[in-house]
Amino acid sequence: MNIIITDDNKDSLFIMTQLLQRDNHTIETSKNGLELIEKLKLKKYDIVLVDIEMPVMDGITAIKKIRNGDAGKNSENTPVIAMTAHTINRNEYAGYGFSDAISKPVDFNKLFKLIEKYSASSNK
């Protein structure tokens, strides 16, 4: 899968990139929502992982822009998974437009299951 990870924490980006690459995924990164939006305009990704709290543009603002077409038409239906240190209320995140959510620190077994879930649904 071609995955982009958006997080302002360099250590999180590094660890997630290394683990997902070991699982044979192609990974790109961005450090805030604005950078994510610009990358989505240029390229289609299979899955977007985005932190909720970041400087410049947070994940909630980014998902609103993605879903309303500001990141390009190719991204409107892309699965976007929120990453948050807050308690996860799936209905709340779904209401913003996220496909799913995962808590931080990320449980990589859960992350791999989410990626598998959206990989299976995109291959139908």
Side-chain angles (χ1 to χ4, degrees):
M1 306 262 325
N2 190 15
I3 300 171
I4 186 163
I5 307 166
T6 304
D7 197 326
D8 61 315
N9 183 305
K10 291 177 185 176
D11 293 334
S12 289
L13 282 176
F14 178 78
I15 292 166
M16 290 182 70
T17 298
Q18 295 301 308
L19 287 171
L20 291 172
Q21 284 176 336
R22 280 190 217 156
D23 208 33
N24 293 318
H25 299 293
T26 302
I27 306 299
E28 291 189 39
T29 63
S30 56
K31 61 183 180 252
N32 61 60
L34 184 60
E35 193 174 297
L36 170 64
I37 298 300
E38 293 306 312
K39 287 189 175 196
L40 289 172
K41 288 178 183 177
L42 301 173
K43 185 174 180 179
K44 174 132 178 72
Y45 296 90
D46 298 312
I47 294 178
V48 175
L49 300 169
V50 62
D51 188 20
I52 294 299
E53 292 186 9
M54 297 175 290
V56 183
M57 181 187 293
D58 63 34
I60 292 172
T61 303
I63 190 66
K64 289 176 183 176
K65 290 184 174 291
I66 292 166
R67 296 301 185 226
N68 74 19
D70 290 347
K73 295 292 181 191
N74 289 334
S75 300
E76 290 177 344
N77 297 315
T78 301
V80 180
I81 300 170
M83 300 183 298
T84 180
H86 299 290
T87 303
I88 293 179
N89 176 335
R90 293 213 184 313
N91 291 333
E92 176 185 358
Y93 287 103
Y96 290 125
F98 289 100
S99 308
D100 222 312
I102 192 165
S103 59
K104 289 175 81 176
V106 173
D107 175 330
F108 288 99
N109 289 325
K110 288 181 181 178
L111 179 60
F112 288 132
K113 285 179 184 174
L114 280 176
I115 290 170
E116 187 176 306
K117 172 184 170 181
Y118 289 104
S119 172
S121 67
S122 69
N123 290 329
K124 287 184 179 178

